[in-house]
Amino acid sequence: MHDRQGSRTRRTTCAAAGAMTIALLAAATLCAARADDSTVAAAQLKAVATIDTRFQSYNIEMVEVTGGQFWRPYPRTARGFDQLDRYSARPPIDLANARLRLLAAALSPAYLRVSGTWANATFFADAPGKPPPGFNSVLSRAQWRGVVEFARAVDAEIVTSFAISPGSRDTNGVWKPDQAQQVVDTTRALGGRIAAAEFMNEPTLAATNGAPAGYDATAYGRDFKVFRDWMRRAAPETLILGPGSAGDAPSPSGAAITTRDLLAASGPGVDRFSYHHYNTISPRCGGHDDPAQALSEEWLARTDATLKIYQALRDAFEPDKPIWLTETADAACGGSRWDQTFLDTFRYLDQLGRLAKAGVQVVMHNTLAASDYGLLDEATFRPRPSYWAALLWRGLMGTIVLDAGKAASSDLHLYAHCHPAMAGAVSLLAINASRSATHPLTLSDSAERYTLHAVRLQGPTVQLNGKTLTLTADGMLPRLEAQATPAGAIRLAPATITFLVIPNAANPACLPRRSELQ
């Protein structure tokens, strides 16, 4: 009997131990699941920044307007690109094109920046012709009228820069505002206005950007003071942007002149602090980047690294001035081979999310419709994958930026804004940058879901909730339809981008203030 009792005791003990083991395993599994789960309580997200209504903007390069030598398209084959043959001739862009205007208007309100390297040596004239000595190209009055009319038609505010080449200077080499004055006067005469202007494009790279030989920070400081004083008199309504630098971050083509030296020489005087950023340079200029890195945190975080450099310079020389990123894309020199595919859409949206959360007021993508980094195909003006992403951002992400918190997984990126049209509603952007892992996300409220994915990451098409996005048969934009999603856990598939609109969040930061109701 004693032995039987002991046996029963041992069996009971073992059973209890087994049950405990199963419970512990279950708890461990649950904890592991929760550890990988990210929860969003939309009503509780706090406001961290407010951005410009025209935050998401774009460039049309000056050389697109005038016509001329621009970045040559990549060869159809996978053979190496000849850096000595990086340019090809192109006619002026057709700014009256109905499709171009339709698709640009869908991204409005926006800023339209007409500038770029070629603008530094462009002569403004009544009619096309051969540029005078000291200039490389001609911008005619009719071509500029096309810019003004395009901007008016699509609800875009014009941003530009002016010629600074040897032809724009007096006998002592000092910059003269006569060419810039003609652009300002003509814009007014055409019923338009220049909302903002940089003195020149990328003064840090002056040696290759059309400036006189030997141009340095001291010359820039002298010229900028002339520019600033002229602008205050001639166009006081126009915001002065500057310095519009590029290359201060470590890169294969580092700046020849530092922004610190430029700002020290010029003194204060900008209304908005501007800079340029590209993650890398394209094969046209010697880049050899592997698309395998395009979803990595190191690649995406290059946006933060460059911003940190220019924030510090802004704080030192132009404290409290709002920051504008006036030219950006994945790769300078026309874009990398994958920039026209869905793969670059991750960088495009992640960059907008990071910069908005950091309080950057405006981000101008280069370009709207030229070369491989264009949102639209330059030959057909048909949308590329990043255009569809831009369209969703425009419709869903408002100007009040919220703190979405840190996701449980390092390759899940979360960004939140108040919805631009629905009071109290929150829009969440969830980017799963993992190529293999599905990530869970728990929502406190029901949502409207928009998920972008592609059969091939480096393919030219993208799907929204399983349906390929394309223009309609009559060339119009399709309806972007959401998928109703209940509160609770959802799953984010690998290499997907999801917008989630939470209409009933009733987030206090997203409700109109009393003063706005009166």
Side-chain angles (χ1 to χ4, degrees), residues 214-234:
Y215 198 77
D216 58 14
T218 300
Y220 172 85
R222 175 202 65 204
D223 290 344
F224 180 83
K225 291 170 184 175
V226 175
F227 167 73
R228 180 192 60 202
D229 294 345
W230 165 75
M231 283 285 289
R232 297 298 187 214
R233 298 190 309 271

Side-chain angles (χ1 to χ4, degrees), residues 50 61 98 132 177 196 216 251 318 323 339 346 367 391 420 430 447 450 477:
T50 302
E61 292 263 353
D216 58 14
S251 70
E318 296 280 6
I323 297 179
D339 287 2
F346 291 80
T367 62
L391 196 61
Y450 303 82
L477 285 166

Side-chain angles (χ1 to χ4, degrees), residues 5 196 257 374 506 513:
Q5 180 64 39
I257 307 173
R513 291 182 288 273

Side-chain angles (χ1 to χ4, degrees), residues 152-241:
R152 183 184 299 118
V154 305
D155 187 15
E157 293 274 11
I158 297 172
V159 176
T160 193
S161 66
F162 302 106
I164 52 81
S165 56
S168 67
R169 300 174 177 279
D170 64 19
T171 54
N172 295 317
V174 179
W175 182 78
K176 298 185 301 180
D178 55 336
Q179 275 283 296
Q181 186 72 59
Q182 290 188 53
V183 175
V184 169
D185 291 345
T186 300
T187 305
R188 286 179 179 151
L190 294 170
R193 78 181 192 109
I194 297 174
E198 291 166 318
F199 168 53
M200 65 181 289
N201 182 73
E202 297 178 354
T204 46
L205 305 179
T208 58
N209 274 2
Y215 198 77
D216 58 14
T218 300
Y220 172 85
R222 175 202 65 204
D223 290 344
F224 180 83
K225 291 170 184 175
V226 175
F227 167 73
R228 180 192 60 202
D229 294 345
W230 165 75
M231 283 285 289
R232 297 298 187 214
R233 298 190 309 271
E237 73 283 3
T238 299
L239 296 173
I240 296 178
L241 308 179

Side-chain angles (χ1 to χ4, degrees), residues 109-309:
Y111 288 106
L112 158 63
R113 178 174 175 268
V114 181
S115 180
T117 299
W118 285 261
N120 284 346
T122 296
F123 181 76
F124 185 80
D126 286 336
K130 183 179 179 180
F135 295 93
N136 296 334
S137 57
V138 171
L139 171 67
S140 71
R141 180 185 176 91
Q143 289 169 335
W144 190 247
R145 180 189 299 114
V147 171
V148 173
E149 292 176 349
F150 177 84
R152 183 184 299 118
V154 305
D155 187 15
E157 293 274 11
I158 297 172
V159 176
T160 193
S161 66
F162 302 106
I164 52 81
S165 56
S168 67
R169 300 174 177 279
D170 64 19
T171 54
N172 295 317
V174 179
W175 182 78
K176 298 185 301 180
D178 55 336
Q179 275 283 296
Q181 186 72 59
Q182 290 188 53
V183 175
V184 169
D185 291 345
T186 300
T187 305
R188 286 179 179 151
L190 294 170
R193 78 181 192 109
I194 297 174
E198 291 166 318
F199 168 53
M200 65 181 289
N201 182 73
E202 297 178 354
T204 46
L205 305 179
T208 58
N209 274 2
Y215 198 77
D216 58 14
T218 300
Y220 172 85
R222 175 202 65 204
D223 290 344
F224 180 83
K225 291 170 184 175
V226 175
F227 167 73
R228 180 192 60 202
D229 294 345
W230 165 75
M231 283 285 289
R232 297 298 187 214
R233 298 190 309 271
E237 73 283 3
T238 299
L239 296 173
I240 296 178
L241 308 179
S245 300
D248 288 270
S251 70
S253 58
I257 307 173
T258 69
T259 296
R260 180 171 294 277
D261 288 344
L262 293 174
L263 294 170
S266 66
V270 303
D271 300 305
R272 303 290 186 269
F273 189 97
S274 65
Y275 74 102
H276 295 177
H277 165 74
Y278 291 90
N279 271 19
T280 187
I281 56 175
S282 82
R284 297 179 182 88
C285 293
H288 300 285
D289 296 286
D290 186 343
Q293 69 185 317
L295 300 185
S296 69
E297 177 60 18
E298 187 280 330
W299 188 262
L300 298 174
R302 293 184 183 188
T303 288
D304 296 333
T306 299
L307 174 61
K308 185 176 180 180
I309 291 169

